[in-house]
Amino acid sequence: MKIELFIPCFIDQLYPETAFNTIKVLEKAGCEISYNSKQTCCGQPAYNAGYWEQAKEIGTKFLSDFSESEYIVAPSSSCVGMVKGGYNDLFTNTIVHNKCRNVQSNIFELSDFLVNVLKKDYFGAELEGKAVYHDSCSGLRECKIKEEPRQLLSRVIGLEMLEMKDTDMCCGFGGTFAVKFDAISSAMAEQKVNNALEMDADYIISTDLSCLLHLDGYIKKNNIPLKTMHLADVLANGWLESTEY
């Protein structure tokens, strides 16, 4: 299956290893990947900050960077959620209305694509320890993802998945929220981390590195023995060359 890969700007700049692991997982699933190196941002930061004209300019470039006919896959439900939902505000009844609708119907977050399109959930991954899964606001509410990442993680050898309290509550990042209301944002991160610690977890796993970036900042600042991992990094961990899937 041919797909187009969308790597969000902050992953490209801060977490390139997650981008490469996304490619590894998709290739192992049998995908032929196309990557447009001219791609940049979906426009979400400007949109969330209220600068819709600037977001529309960035979004117009996004629509020109991707085709209408191929699946588009991204390791970020917040960016996928922006395209699926935010673009309705920016491009409804514009000259790119139809192309926007086609792109919206073709773009998928990684776990959604693997489980619901490719029908694959085992990749021979191995990771020892206990983990909790954090449901990001965008993943749960905009992309309607809940069971898909859990299904994939349940097939990781050596990993014990636990359900922490209030797993579907916001971590406190929320884009500009973390800047405008930093004290509340930090308190929400503390609550999320404490919920993970109550489960004696070694890892917090999510589909959104923006959430994990926020949580990891709190964890490192307070020297807490807890690690954060993106789903793609887990699925590409501990592979053996002879693994069949």
Side-chain angles (χ1 to χ4, degrees):
M1 180 179 291
K2 294 183 178 180
I3 69 159
E4 296 182 17
L5 181 66
F6 169 42
I7 298 299
C9 49
F10 74 98
I11 294 180
D12 177 69
Q13 295 297 309
L14 300 177
Y15 299 100
E17 189 62 30
T18 299
F20 287 117
N21 283 334
T22 299
I23 293 172
K24 290 177 183 178
V25 171
L26 287 169
E27 287 183 337
K28 197 165 190 178
C31 294
E32 180 182 336
I33 299 170
S34 171
Y35 176 77
N36 182 354
S37 62
K38 295 182 180 180
Q39 64 179 265
T40 52
C41 179
C42 64
Q44 182 183 180
Y47 177 85
N48 288 344
Y51 296 100
W52 282 20
E53 284 304 313
Q54 289 84 346
K56 187 174 182 179
E57 182 178 350
I58 299 169
T60 299
K61 181 183 183 305
F62 180 93
L63 292 176
S64 69
D65 286 339
F66 293 91
S67 72
E68 301 176 64
S69 57
E70 304 287 353
Y71 285 116
I72 304 164
V73 182
S76 171
S77 54
S78 65
C79 294
V80 171
M82 170 63 190
V83 175
K84 283 186 172 295
Y87 278 22
N88 290 337
D89 294 322
L90 303 179
F91 299 112
T92 297
N93 296 328
T94 68
I95 59 173
V96 294
H97 177 101
N98 290 338
K99 178 166 187 179
C100 180
R101 292 295 179 266
N102 290 334
V103 169
Q104 286 176 314
S105 65
N106 287 338
I107 191 167
F108 287 83
E109 179 275 331
L110 178 63
S111 70
D112 188 15
F113 185 73
L114 294 174
V115 172
N116 295 321
V117 179
L118 296 183
K119 310 298 182 183
K120 293 180 180 290
D121 62 9
Y122 177 68
F123 295 91
E126 296 184 12
L127 182 65
E128 292 292 333
K130 298 178 181 179
V132 293
Y133 178 76
H134 162 61
D135 289 289
S136 72
C137 297
S138 297
L140 191 63
R141 296 168 179 84
E142 296 178 2
C143 296
K144 312 302 181 185
I145 298 163
K146 185 174 179 66
E147 297 305 323
E148 291 84 352
R150 289 172 169 81
Q151 181 176 333
L152 290 160
L153 291 168
S154 71
R155 302 296 305 277
V156 176
I157 299 170
L159 187 63
E160 181 182 356
M161 291 301 302
L162 305 166
E163 283 292 318
M164 65 177 168
K165 181 173 59 179
D166 298 329
T167 184
D168 58 351
M169 291 186 66
C170 180
C171 69
F173 179 64
T176 57
F177 180 86
V179 177
K180 295 179 179 179
F181 305 98
D182 59 312
I184 300 174
S185 175
S186 296
M188 294 171 73
E190 179 183 14
Q191 183 181 51
K192 181 69 66 170
V193 169
N194 285 340
N195 288 344
L197 291 174
E198 284 181 7
M199 304 305 298
D200 196 27
D202 302 299
Y203 305 96
I204 298 178
I205 302 170
S206 184
T207 58
D208 275 279
L209 276 168
S210 51
C211 297
L212 296 178
L213 172 70
H214 180 59
L215 294 173
D216 193 52
Y218 178 84
I219 288 168
K220 288 180 177 177
K221 180 180 180 180
N222 293 279
N223 297 312
I224 296 171
L226 190 60
K227 297 180 180 179
T228 59
M229 289 187 73
H230 187 277
L231 176 68
D233 298 322
V234 177
L235 296 181
N237 191 72
W239 281 2
L240 298 176
E241 291 299 324
S242 60
T243 298
E244 296 183 359
Y245 58 96

PDB file of all heavy atoms in Angstrom, residues 9-37:
ATOM      1  N   CYS A   9       6.106  19.364  12.469  1.00  0.00           N
ATOM      2  CA  CYS A   9       7.329  20.167  12.567  1.00  0.00           C
ATOM      3  C   CYS A   9       8.084  19.938  13.865  1.00  0.00           C
ATOM      4  O   CYS A   9       9.316  19.853  13.873  1.00  0.00           O
ATOM      5  CB  CYS A   9       7.004  21.645  12.382  1.00  0.00           C
ATOM      6  SG  CYS A   9       5.630  22.252  13.401  1.00  0.00           S
ATOM      7  N   PHE A  10       7.369  19.810  14.988  1.00  0.00           N
ATOM      8  CA  PHE A  10       8.079  19.666  16.257  1.00  0.00           C
ATOM      9  C   PHE A  10       8.706  18.287  16.401  1.00  0.00           C
ATOM     10  O   PHE A  10       9.729  18.123  17.063  1.00  0.00           O
ATOM     11  CB  PHE A  10       7.155  19.974  17.444  1.00  0.00           C
ATOM     12  CG  PHE A  10       6.139  18.912  17.747  1.00  0.00           C
ATOM     13  CD1 PHE A  10       6.367  17.983  18.735  1.00  0.00           C
ATOM     14  CD2 PHE A  10       4.953  18.861  17.045  1.00  0.00           C
ATOM     15  CE1 PHE A  10       5.431  17.001  19.022  1.00  0.00           C
ATOM     16  CE2 PHE A  10       4.009  17.893  17.318  1.00  0.00           C
ATOM     17  CZ  PHE A  10       4.248  16.958  18.309  1.00  0.00           C
ATOM     18  N   ILE A  11       8.122  17.281  15.762  1.00  0.00           N
ATOM     19  CA  ILE A  11       8.747  15.957  15.752  1.00  0.00           C
ATOM     20  C   ILE A  11       9.998  15.979  14.885  1.00  0.00           C
ATOM     21  O   ILE A  11      11.038  15.430  15.250  1.00  0.00           O
ATOM     22  CB  ILE A  11       7.755  14.888  15.261  1.00  0.00           C
ATOM     23  CG1 ILE A  11       6.607  14.733  16.261  1.00  0.00           C
ATOM     24  CG2 ILE A  11       8.457  13.541  15.050  1.00  0.00           C
ATOM     25  CD1 ILE A  11       5.564  13.698  15.885  1.00  0.00           C
ATOM     26  N   ASP A  12       9.907  16.647  13.755  1.00  0.00           N
ATOM     27  CA  ASP A  12      11.058  16.790  12.862  1.00  0.00           C
ATOM     28  C   ASP A  12      12.226  17.463  13.578  1.00  0.00           C
ATOM     29  O   ASP A  12      13.379  17.054  13.428  1.00  0.00           O
ATOM     30  CB  ASP A  12      10.649  17.613  11.643  1.00  0.00           C
ATOM     31  CG  ASP A  12      11.814  17.877  10.701  1.00  0.00           C
ATOM     32  OD1 ASP A  12      12.291  16.917  10.073  1.00  0.00           O
ATOM     33  OD2 ASP A  12      12.243  19.037  10.601  1.00  0.00           O
ATOM     34  N   GLN A  13      11.948  18.471  14.382  1.00  0.00           N
ATOM     35  CA  GLN A  13      12.995  19.249  15.034  1.00  0.00           C
ATOM     36  C   GLN A  13      13.459  18.653  16.356  1.00  0.00           C
ATOM     37  O   GLN A  13      14.646  18.748  16.690  1.00  0.00           O
ATOM     38  CB  GLN A  13      12.488  20.678  15.277  1.00  0.00           C
ATOM     39  CG  GLN A  13      12.223  21.464  14.008  1.00  0.00           C
ATOM     40  CD  GLN A  13      13.471  21.677  13.179  1.00  0.00           C
ATOM     41  OE1 GLN A  13      14.495  22.124  13.693  1.00  0.00           O
ATOM     42  NE2 GLN A  13      13.396  21.359  11.904  1.00  0.00           N
ATOM     43  N   LEU A  14      12.560  18.060  17.113  1.00  0.00           N
ATOM     44  CA  LEU A  14      12.891  17.630  18.472  1.00  0.00           C
ATOM     45  C   LEU A  14      12.962  16.116  18.651  1.00  0.00           C
ATOM     46  O   LEU A  14      13.708  15.633  19.516  1.00  0.00           O
ATOM     47  CB  LEU A  14      11.866  18.196  19.463  1.00  0.00           C
ATOM     48  CG  LEU A  14      11.743  19.715  19.528  1.00  0.00           C
ATOM     49  CD1 LEU A  14      10.634  20.116  20.494  1.00  0.00           C
ATOM     50  CD2 LEU A  14      13.064  20.353  19.945  1.00  0.00           C
ATOM     51  N   TYR A  15      12.200  15.368  17.868  1.00  0.00           N
ATOM     52  CA  TYR A  15      12.141  13.919  18.048  1.00  0.00           C
ATOM     53  C   TYR A  15      12.299  13.180  16.720  1.00  0.00           C
ATOM     54  O   TYR A  15      11.426  12.393  16.333  1.00  0.00           O
ATOM     55  CB  TYR A  15      10.812  13.523  18.699  1.00  0.00           C
ATOM     56  CG  TYR A  15      10.583  14.124  20.060  1.00  0.00           C
ATOM     57  CD1 TYR A  15       9.777  15.248  20.215  1.00  0.00           C
ATOM     58  CD2 TYR A  15      11.167  13.564  21.195  1.00  0.00           C
ATOM     59  CE1 TYR A  15       9.559  15.805  21.473  1.00  0.00           C
ATOM     60  CE2 TYR A  15      10.949  14.112  22.458  1.00  0.00           C
ATOM     61  CZ  TYR A  15      10.149  15.233  22.592  1.00  0.00           C
ATOM     62  OH  TYR A  15       9.942  15.777  23.833  1.00  0.00           O
ATOM     63  N   PRO A  16      13.384  13.403  16.006  1.00  0.00           N
ATOM     64  CA  PRO A  16      13.541  12.748  14.696  1.00  0.00           C
ATOM     65  C   PRO A  16      13.552  11.224  14.781  1.00  0.00           C
ATOM     66  O   PRO A  16      13.133  10.547  13.837  1.00  0.00           O
ATOM     67  CB  PRO A  16      14.880  13.288  14.190  1.00  0.00           C
ATOM     68  CG  PRO A  16      15.607  13.735  15.415  1.00  0.00           C
ATOM     69  CD  PRO A  16      14.549  14.238  16.339  1.00  0.00           C
ATOM     70  N   GLU A  17      13.994  10.673  15.922  1.00  0.00           N
ATOM     71  CA  GLU A  17      14.027   9.218  16.062  1.00  0.00           C
ATOM     72  C   GLU A  17      12.616   8.631  15.985  1.00  0.00           C
ATOM     73  O   GLU A  17      12.419   7.544  15.428  1.00  0.00           O
ATOM     74  CB  GLU A  17      14.682   8.832  17.385  1.00  0.00           C
ATOM     75  CG  GLU A  17      14.963   7.349  17.531  1.00  0.00           C
ATOM     76  CD  GLU A  17      15.947   6.827  16.483  1.00  0.00           C
ATOM     77  OE1 GLU A  17      16.805   7.597  16.035  1.00  0.00           O
ATOM     78  OE2 GLU A  17      15.835   5.628  16.129  1.00  0.00           O
ATOM     79  N   THR A  18      11.646   9.354  16.525  1.00  0.00           N
ATOM     80  CA  THR A  18      10.260   8.888  16.438  1.00  0.00           C
ATOM     81  C   THR A  18       9.782   8.876  14.986  1.00  0.00           C
ATOM     82  O   THR A  18       9.037   7.983  14.574  1.00  0.00           O
ATOM     83  CB  THR A  18       9.341   9.790  17.288  1.00  0.00           C
ATOM     84  OG1 THR A  18       9.756   9.729  18.650  1.00  0.00           O
ATOM     85  CG2 THR A  18       7.891   9.346  17.180  1.00  0.00           C
ATOM     86  N   ALA A  19      10.233   9.857  14.213  1.00  0.00           N
ATOM     87  CA  ALA A  19       9.886   9.885  12.788  1.00  0.00           C
ATOM     88  C   ALA A  19      10.451   8.666  12.075  1.00  0.00           C
ATOM     89  O   ALA A  19       9.755   8.005  11.293  1.00  0.00           O
ATOM     90  CB  ALA A  19      10.411  11.169  12.148  1.00  0.00           C
ATOM     91  N   PHE A  20      11.715   8.354  12.351  1.00  0.00           N
ATOM     92  CA  PHE A  20      12.337   7.190  11.713  1.00  0.00           C
ATOM     93  C   PHE A  20      11.681   5.889  12.175  1.00  0.00           C
ATOM     94  O   PHE A  20      11.511   4.958  11.380  1.00  0.00           O
ATOM     95  CB  PHE A  20      13.837   7.162  12.008  1.00  0.00           C
ATOM     96  CG  PHE A  20      14.620   8.204  11.248  1.00  0.00           C
ATOM     97  CD1 PHE A  20      15.302   9.200  11.919  1.00  0.00           C
ATOM     98  CD2 PHE A  20      14.660   8.192   9.862  1.00  0.00           C
ATOM     99  CE1 PHE A  20      16.018  10.165  11.225  1.00  0.00           C
ATOM    100  CE2 PHE A  20      15.374   9.154   9.150  1.00  0.00           C
ATOM    101  CZ  PHE A  20      16.057  10.141   9.838  1.00  0.00           C
ATOM    102  N   ASN A  21      11.291   5.813  13.441  1.00  0.00           N
ATOM    103  CA  ASN A  21      10.615   4.612  13.925  1.00  0.00           C
ATOM    104  C   ASN A  21       9.224   4.461  13.312  1.00  0.00           C
ATOM    105  O   ASN A  21       8.758   3.343  13.081  1.00  0.00           O
ATOM    106  CB  ASN A  21      10.523   4.644  15.452  1.00  0.00           C
ATOM    107  CG  ASN A  21      11.832   4.282  16.116  1.00  0.00           C
ATOM    108  OD1 ASN A  21      12.654   3.572  15.552  1.00  0.00           O
ATOM    109  ND2 ASN A  21      12.055   4.787  17.323  1.00  0.00           N
ATOM    110  N   THR A  22       8.580   5.581  13.042  1.00  0.00           N
ATOM    111  CA  THR A  22       7.295   5.534  12.342  1.00  0.00           C
ATOM    112  C   THR A  22       7.469   4.910  10.961  1.00  0.00           C
ATOM    113  O   THR A  22       6.664   4.067  10.536  1.00  0.00           O
ATOM    114  CB  THR A  22       6.704   6.949  12.213  1.00  0.00           C
ATOM    115  OG1 THR A  22       6.480   7.492  13.517  1.00  0.00           O
ATOM    116  CG2 THR A  22       5.391   6.929  11.442  1.00  0.00           C
ATOM    117  N   ILE A  23       8.531   5.307  10.275  1.00  0.00           N
ATOM    118  CA  ILE A  23       8.821   4.739   8.958  1.00  0.00           C
ATOM    119  C   ILE A  23       9.086   3.239   9.066  1.00  0.00           C
ATOM    120  O   ILE A  23       8.581   2.438   8.270  1.00  0.00           O
ATOM    121  CB  ILE A  23      10.032   5.457   8.324  1.00  0.00           C
ATOM    122  CG1 ILE A  23       9.679   6.912   8.008  1.00  0.00           C
ATOM    123  CG2 ILE A  23      10.496   4.729   7.057  1.00  0.00           C
ATOM    124  CD1 ILE A  23      10.860   7.752   7.568  1.00  0.00           C
ATOM    125  N   LYS A  24       9.882   2.840  10.069  1.00  0.00           N
ATOM    126  CA  LYS A  24      10.210   1.424  10.252  1.00  0.00           C
ATOM    127  C   LYS A  24       8.942   0.593  10.450  1.00  0.00           C
ATOM    128  O   LYS A  24       8.789  -0.481   9.852  1.00  0.00           O
ATOM    129  CB  LYS A  24      11.137   1.249  11.453  1.00  0.00           C
ATOM    130  CG  LYS A  24      12.543   1.783  11.261  1.00  0.00           C
ATOM    131  CD  LYS A  24      13.358   1.611  12.539  1.00  0.00           C
ATOM    132  CE  LYS A  24      14.749   2.190  12.400  1.00  0.00           C
ATOM    133  NZ  LYS A  24      15.524   2.073  13.662  1.00  0.00           N
ATOM    134  N   VAL A  25       8.051   1.086  11.292  1.00  0.00           N
ATOM    135  CA  VAL A  25       6.820   0.347  11.580  1.00  0.00           C
ATOM    136  C   VAL A  25       5.930   0.254  10.340  1.00  0.00           C
ATOM    137  O   VAL A  25       5.401  -0.817  10.018  1.00  0.00           O
ATOM    138  CB  VAL A  25       6.059   1.011  12.748  1.00  0.00           C
ATOM    139  CG1 VAL A  25       4.677   0.381  12.917  1.00  0.00           C
ATOM    140  CG2 VAL A  25       6.856   0.895  14.044  1.00  0.00           C
ATOM    141  N   LEU A  26       5.794   1.357   9.626  1.00  0.00           N
ATOM    142  CA  LEU A  26       4.949   1.352   8.429  1.00  0.00           C
ATOM    143  C   LEU A  26       5.533   0.465   7.336  1.00  0.00           C
ATOM    144  O   LEU A  26       4.797  -0.240   6.635  1.00  0.00           O
ATOM    145  CB  LEU A  26       4.769   2.784   7.922  1.00  0.00           C
ATOM    146  CG  LEU A  26       3.843   3.668   8.760  1.00  0.00           C
ATOM    147  CD1 LEU A  26       3.953   5.121   8.325  1.00  0.00           C
ATOM    148  CD2 LEU A  26       2.394   3.195   8.644  1.00  0.00           C
ATOM    149  N   GLU A  27       6.852   0.487   7.180  1.00  0.00           N
ATOM    150  CA  GLU A  27       7.475  -0.385   6.185  1.00  0.00           C
ATOM    151  C   GLU A  27       7.311  -1.849   6.572  1.00  0.00           C
ATOM    152  O   GLU A  27       7.086  -2.703   5.707  1.00  0.00           O
ATOM    153  CB  GLU A  27       8.953  -0.031   6.037  1.00  0.00           C
ATOM    154  CG  GLU A  27       9.190   1.277   5.288  1.00  0.00           C
ATOM    155  CD  GLU A  27      10.650   1.584   5.073  1.00  0.00           C
ATOM    156  OE1 GLU A  27      11.495   1.061   5.838  1.00  0.00           O
ATOM    157  OE2 GLU A  27      10.963   2.364   4.148  1.00  0.00           O
ATOM    158  N   LYS A  28       7.421  -2.144   7.864  1.00  0.00           N
ATOM    159  CA  LYS A  28       7.234  -3.519   8.312  1.00  0.00           C
ATOM    160  C   LYS A  28       5.796  -3.980   8.095  1.00  0.00           C
ATOM    161  O   LYS A  28       5.527  -5.167   7.912  1.00  0.00           O
ATOM    162  CB  LYS A  28       7.606  -3.658   9.784  1.00  0.00           C
ATOM    163  CG  LYS A  28       7.831  -5.093  10.228  1.00  0.00           C
ATOM    164  CD  LYS A  28       8.549  -5.134  11.561  1.00  0.00           C
ATOM    165  CE  LYS A  28       8.975  -6.558  11.870  1.00  0.00           C
ATOM    166  NZ  LYS A  28       9.730  -6.645  13.152  1.00  0.00           N
ATOM    167  N   ALA A  29       4.885  -3.014   8.081  1.00  0.00           N
ATOM    168  CA  ALA A  29       3.474  -3.327   7.832  1.00  0.00           C
ATOM    169  C   ALA A  29       3.181  -3.471   6.340  1.00  0.00           C
ATOM    170  O   ALA A  29       2.041  -3.744   5.954  1.00  0.00           O
ATOM    171  CB  ALA A  29       2.588  -2.248   8.436  1.00  0.00           C
ATOM    172  N   GLY A  30       4.206  -3.264   5.504  1.00  0.00           N
ATOM    173  CA  GLY A  30       4.042  -3.457   4.070  1.00  0.00           C
ATOM    174  C   GLY A  30       3.752  -2.205   3.273  1.00  0.00           C
ATOM    175  O   GLY A  30       3.329  -2.297   2.112  1.00  0.00           O
ATOM    176  N   CYS A  31       4.003  -1.045   3.853  1.00  0.00           N
ATOM    177  CA  CYS A  31       3.690   0.212   3.164  1.00  0.00           C
ATOM    178  C   CYS A  31       4.866   0.709   2.322  1.00  0.00           C
ATOM    179  O   CYS A  31       6.033   0.572   2.721  1.00  0.00           O
ATOM    180  CB  CYS A  31       3.319   1.301   4.171  1.00  0.00           C
ATOM    181  SG  CYS A  31       1.787   0.975   5.057  1.00  0.00           S
ATOM    182  N   GLU A  32       4.530   1.290   1.200  1.00  0.00           N
ATOM    183  CA  GLU A  32       5.503   2.000   0.370  1.00  0.00           C
ATOM    184  C   GLU A  32       5.322   3.486   0.678  1.00  0.00           C
ATOM    185  O   GLU A  32       4.278   4.067   0.405  1.00  0.00           O
ATOM    186  CB  GLU A  32       5.247   1.720  -1.106  1.00  0.00           C
ATOM    187  CG  GLU A  32       6.221   2.422  -2.037  1.00  0.00           C
ATOM    188  CD  GLU A  32       5.906   2.170  -3.495  1.00  0.00           C
ATOM    189  OE1 GLU A  32       5.264   1.133  -3.801  1.00  0.00           O
ATOM    190  OE2 GLU A  32       6.287   3.015  -4.338  1.00  0.00           O
ATOM    191  N   ILE A  33       6.376   4.093   1.254  1.00  0.00           N
ATOM    192  CA  ILE A  33       6.242   5.428   1.824  1.00  0.00           C
ATOM    193  C   ILE A  33       6.801   6.503   0.912  1.00  0.00           C
ATOM    194  O   ILE A  33       7.906   6.385   0.377  1.00  0.00           O
ATOM    195  CB  ILE A  33       6.951   5.497   3.193  1.00  0.00           C
ATOM    196  CG1 ILE A  33       6.318   4.497   4.160  1.00  0.00           C
ATOM    197  CG2 ILE A  33       6.877   6.909   3.780  1.00  0.00           C
ATOM    198  CD1 ILE A  33       7.091   4.318   5.445  1.00  0.00           C
ATOM    199  N   SER A  34       6.020   7.572   0.775  1.00  0.00           N
ATOM    200  CA  SER A  34       6.469   8.758   0.058  1.00  0.00           C
ATOM    201  C   SER A  34       6.549   9.909   1.054  1.00  0.00           C
ATOM    202  O   SER A  34       5.612  10.121   1.836  1.00  0.00           O
ATOM    203  CB  SER A  34       5.481   9.102  -1.067  1.00  0.00           C
ATOM    204  OG  SER A  34       5.794  10.355  -1.643  1.00  0.00           O
ATOM    205  N   TYR A  35       7.675  10.644   1.036  1.00  0.00           N
ATOM    206  CA  TYR A  35       7.850  11.765   1.966  1.00  0.00           C
ATOM    207  C   TYR A  35       8.224  13.014   1.190  1.00  0.00           C
ATOM    208  O   TYR A  35       9.246  13.050   0.499  1.00  0.00           O
ATOM    209  CB  TYR A  35       8.936  11.441   2.993  1.00  0.00           C
ATOM    210  CG  TYR A  35       9.230  12.598   3.929  1.00  0.00           C
ATOM    211  CD1 TYR A  35       8.362  12.897   4.972  1.00  0.00           C
ATOM    212  CD2 TYR A  35      10.363  13.394   3.770  1.00  0.00           C
ATOM    213  CE1 TYR A  35       8.601  13.962   5.832  1.00  0.00           C
ATOM    214  CE2 TYR A  35      10.619  14.453   4.622  1.00  0.00           C
ATOM    215  CZ  TYR A  35       9.739  14.728   5.653  1.00  0.00           C
ATOM    216  OH  TYR A  35      10.000  15.786   6.495  1.00  0.00           O
ATOM    217  N   ASN A  36       7.385  14.019   1.295  1.00  0.00           N
ATOM    218  CA  ASN A  36       7.647  15.303   0.650  1.00  0.00           C
ATOM    219  C   ASN A  36       8.481  16.158   1.601  1.00  0.00           C
ATOM    220  O   ASN A  36       7.982  16.626   2.621  1.00  0.00           O
ATOM    221  CB  ASN A  36       6.328  15.997   0.324  1.00  0.00           C
ATOM    222  CG  ASN A  36       6.531  17.324  -0.387  1.00  0.00           C
ATOM    223  OD1 ASN A  36       7.650  17.803  -0.551  1.00  0.00           O
ATOM    224  ND2 ASN A  36       5.444  17.930  -0.827  1.00  0.00           N
ATOM    225  N   SER A  37       9.743  16.357   1.275  1.00  0.00           N
ATOM    226  CA  SER A  37      10.657  17.084   2.161  1.00  0.00           C
ATOM    227  C   SER A  37      10.335  18.566   2.274  1.00  0.00           C
ATOM    228  O   SER A  37      10.894  19.260   3.127  1.00  0.00           O
ATOM    229  CB  SER A  37      12.105  16.911   1.668  1.00  0.00           C
ATOM    230  OG  SER A  37      12.255  17.450   0.362  1.00  0.00           O
TER     231      SER A  37
END
